[in-house]
Amino acid sequence: MSQLSVRHLLGIKELTIDDIELIFETASNFKEIINRPIKKVPSLRDITIANVFFESSTRTRLSFELAEKRLSADVINFSSSTSSVKKGETLLDTVNNILAMKVDMVVIRHSSPGAPHFLARHIKANIVNAGDGTHEHPTQALLDTFSMRLHFGSLKGLKVAIIGDIMHSRVAISNIFALQKLGAEVMVCGPNTLIPIHISELGVKVELEVRKALEWCDVANILRIQLERQQIKYFPSLREYALYYGVNKQLLDSIKKEILIMHPGPINRGVEISSDVADSDHSIILEQVENGVAIRMAVLYLLADSPLAN
Amino acid sequence: MQKRLILDSRLIDITIDRLCQQLIENHQHFSDTVLIGLQPRGIFFSRLIRQRINKLISVELPLGYLDTTFYRDDFRRRDVPKKANETRINFIIEDKNVILIDDVLFTGRSVRAALDAMLAFGRPSRVELLVLVNRKYSRDLPIEPDYVGRNVNTIDSQIVRVEWKEQGDKENSILLLNTNMKR
């Protein structure tokens, strides 16, 4: 297998295990390249990529942009706050206008679930989903599982707890799909109000106590409380959340085993994770960021690598 | 598919010996020389060259593997995408004499990509090309080898296949296959 089974990366759900393996293998090659003194390859020199972000982002946008530049692609950036979207233009019109400027690929983040799927049905360019509402965030899940794999060698039988705001998290959904495809066991943990009612139908364990989740898992992927998506109050106060669900050193020390700590960022220090945990030796948060560039290079490279006739 | 044996394992052995003697003649003590095998199929041959030089004059030459996939000029133009392989060069090639090693030289495009890929590891003082099989009259680019194991005259529809025991084949051999394929 040297080709993906899909033309767009819309979600992890649509990927086969072979696709994921191919992305990982290609990403390991790119990881070697981005650690060289000269970090650039000429592969995508005749490709133009538009980063279309209808929602704010630091890490993902920078990571994509860096990945594109390391592959020698031409890059244009668009963010909704400074564009004609404010004047009432529709999503399809905006993107069609961008495509009229001869763009080959579109990396899109949007607050509506399904926005990338809608575009994929209507336009010719390859679409990469960089997060659509509370639905999926495939590149984040790929880089998370890639980081775990580099650490453990294989994900078969690995126990991963996803802790925090599961309800509003696209990272959680994509991670669940990716982890299950790779053979890991998944548990979600958080306050009852932040766990979707039917989530156990995806085949994940549900746990309401952080201590029990930590005692069970090998890896804790800690998520941020997404206040911007919460229209109503799901818990009394951030302070209370930190008290009951925050992961701190004292709690980890009381559990007699090593747990790998991950976080997709941005971190709210002192809320879901304390500083001494985020900066500890068990945390691979910054490694995740590095792997993110390699994974995104692999995704863009593999999606672009279909004959020009298509 | 018609098959013809060009070299068997005994003759490959003699050829490797001759190539190493030529290298020794030109590089003497190999003080500033490094070897780079091209992925995917040049690496087996490059290992054999390194072993033989070590046997002949007891010099352990640095050997790296270079993958050219991301530097190729046929990206999006080929029917089946190429899969990338590992690049492993644990030394700097700045001011070194580099010997690029591949099994078959055909159009010269892989070597062009390799020259490009190599620059990420420094500016070599000199680069030479060593190939086991040189398919003559089939070059797309002005690239010629410095050391040749065997020259063969081929047409485009033929395939030169090098088999290595180390790679799981029965024995080391070079075969010429006739196909109906168009390049």
Side-chain angles (χ1 to χ4, degrees):
Chain A
M1 263 267 308
S2 57
Q3 205 168 6
L4 294 180
S5 66
V6 289
R7 267 199 74 227
H8 312 282
L9 179 68
L10 301 176
I12 300 289
K13 203 174 177 182
E14 291 86 5
L15 294 183
T16 64
I17 298 174
D18 285 346
D19 288 335
I20 298 179
E21 291 291 338
L22 179 62
I23 293 171
F24 283 1
E25 236 177 279
T26 314
S28 332
N29 292 316
F30 283 126
K31 191 171 176 179
E32 183 266 321
I33 286 169
I34 58 178
N35 279 298
R36 289 180 192 171
I38 297 171
K39 302 172 177 60
K40 212 166 161 146
V41 292
S43 310
L44 263 56
R45 63 197 143 198
D46 50 359
I47 295 211
T48 309
I49 303 177
N51 298 317
V52 184
F53 279 71
F54 290 93
E55 221 184 43
S56 61
S57 160
T58 317
R59 220 168 328 272
T60 309
R61 194 172 53 79
L62 285 180
S63 182
F64 266 110
E65 193 172 339
L66 202 55
E68 289 150 6
K69 289 183 170 164
R70 296 269 192 258
L71 289 166
S72 306
D74 291 322
V75 180
I76 52 172
N77 287 307
F78 163 95
S79 69
S80 60
S81 53
T82 55
S83 72
S84 287
V85 175
K86 285 253 178 308
K87 302 175 190 163
E89 195 175 43
T90 67
L91 171 62
L92 195 55
D93 282 339
T94 305
V95 175
N96 268 329
N97 275 286
I98 296 172
L99 288 184
M101 303 174 200
K102 305 288 174 236
V103 168
D104 305 287
M105 299 177 94
V106 177
V107 174
I108 179 174
R109 166 168 286 193
H110 201 281
S111 56
S112 299
H117 304 67
F118 170 76
L119 281 190
R121 278 198 302 276
H122 288 94
I123 63 176
K124 260 176 67 186
N126 304 91
I127 310 286
V128 180
N129 181 358
D132 57 334
T134 55
H135 179 225
E136 281 227 44
H137 190 351
T139 52
Q140 181 69 42
L142 288 169
L143 76 90
D144 285 347
T145 44
F146 180 65
S147 307
M148 287 180 219
R149 181 128 101 189
L150 288 182
H151 213 267
F152 292 99
S154 161
L155 266 66
K156 286 247 153 50
L158 194 72
K159 292 176 174 160
V160 183
I162 304 172
I163 301 169
D165 184 354
I166 310 297
M167 174 97 90
H168 301 95
S169 174
R170 51 194 173 212
V171 176
I173 301 293
S174 287
N175 256 283
I176 290 170
F177 290 141
L179 287 164
Q180 288 180 337
K181 283 185 186 197
L182 293 164
E185 284 183 64
V186 189
M187 174 185 278
V188 294
C189 171
N192 223 345
T193 48
L194 287 176
I195 293 189
I197 303 170
H198 298 295
I199 191 119
S200 56
E201 281 175 28
L202 290 176
V204 300
K205 292 187 172 61
V206 178
E207 177 57 63
L208 301 178
E209 271 185 56
V210 147
R211 168 178 288 276
K212 284 188 184 159
L214 290 173
E215 278 168 356
W216 174 84
C217 71
D218 304 308
V219 180
N221 198 352
I222 301 163
L223 307 179
R224 184 176 60 93
I225 293 297
Q226 309 211 3
L227 287 175
E228 76 275 19
R229 289 188 211 285
Q230 300 180 1
Q231 268 95 41
I232 56 166
K233 281 229 173 238
Y234 289 88
F235 47 86
S237 70
L238 273 181
R239 194 165 154 262
E240 190 166 326
Y241 180 85
L243 204 60
Y244 286 100
Y245 287 94
V247 177
N248 55 46
K249 191 159 183 298
Q250 205 185 351
L251 177 61
L252 283 180
D253 283 347
S254 71
I255 294 163
K256 298 265 173 295
K257 66 171 182 179
E258 279 189 16
I259 299 171
L260 192 70
I261 301 293
M262 300 178 67
H263 193 302
I267 304 178
N268 287 145
R269 285 176 186 261
V271 182
E272 72 273 6
I273 188 167
S274 67
S275 281
D276 44 12
V277 173
D279 304 331
S280 74
D281 292 344
H282 299 314
S283 142
I284 55 162
I285 297 174
L286 291 176
E287 219 175 297
Q288 285 173 266
V289 179
E290 179 189 336
N291 291 336
V293 178
I295 280 285
R296 291 181 175 113
M297 284 172 82
V299 166
L300 294 167
Y301 175 84
L302 290 168
L303 286 178
D305 194 7
S306 49
L308 281 176
N310 296 346
Chain B
M1 203 164 22
Q2 249 186 324
K3 263 196 221 176
R4 187 162 67 85
L5 186 69
I6 305 177
L7 288 183
D8 62 10
S9 75
R10 194 179 61 89
L11 284 173
I12 289 183
D13 204 57
I14 293 172
T15 306
I16 288 175
D17 212 71
R18 189 211 354 120
L19 288 170
C20 289
Q21 299 289 5
Q22 283 179 325
L23 286 174
I24 294 167
E25 200 176 14
N26 286 347
H27 290 260
Q28 285 150 28
H29 303 298
F30 291 98
S31 49
D32 273 326
T33 304
V34 296
L35 305 179
I36 294 182
L38 296 192
Q39 287 273 24
R41 305 189 61 96
I43 63 168
F44 302 102
F45 182 43
S46 66
R47 274 187 221 147
L48 293 176
I49 293 281
R50 180 175 183 269
Q51 277 169 16
R52 188 60 57 90
I53 290 175
N54 187 19
K55 208 172 132 193
L56 291 170
I57 54 163
S58 307
V59 172
E60 292 246 358
L61 280 177
L63 168 65
Y65 304 137
L66 183 64
D67 185 66
T68 61
T69 312
F70 302 130
Y71 297 84
R72 296 190 62 93
D73 57 6
D74 56 357
F75 184 66
R76 306 181 99 206
R77 288 162 180 84
R78 56 206 170 204
D79 294 333
V80 184
K82 276 220 160 40
K83 201 169 173 174
N85 294 288
E86 188 195 11
T87 292
R88 200 197 314 152
I89 299 180
N90 303 324
F91 44 83
I92 294 291
I93 61 170
E94 188 80 29
D95 290 335
K96 294 270 196 275
N97 297 318
V98 176
I99 302 169
L100 281 182
I101 301 176
D102 206 356
D103 60 348
V104 181
L105 177 61
F106 183 31
T107 59
R109 287 182 188 263
S110 291
V111 175
R112 201 249 1 118
L115 291 171
D116 201 359
M118 215 174 52
L119 296 181
F121 297 90
R123 179 182 183 270
S125 94
R126 191 162 158 232
V127 184
E128 289 178 317
L129 177 62
L130 183 154
V131 296
L132 182 57
V133 181
N134 176 24
R135 296 183 65 164
K136 293 177 82 179
Y137 315 119
S138 58
R139 219 72 79 232
D140 292 347
L141 300 169
I143 284 172
E144 285 306 318
D146 299 283
Y147 307 93
V148 180
R150 180 75 167 220
N151 284 311
V152 291
N153 295 336
T154 56
I155 50 172
D156 282 354
S157 64
Q158 290 174 316
I159 295 175
V160 174
R161 194 160 77 202
V162 181
E163 298 189 334
W164 298 111
K165 222 169 160 181
E166 204 187 339
Q167 203 190 18
D169 295 310
K170 223 165 69 198
E171 59 175 347
N172 295 350
S173 61
I174 304 174
L175 302 163
L176 186 65
L177 313 176
N178 286 319
T179 68
N180 304 321
M181 215 172 58
K182 274 201 189 127
R183 192 171 124 204

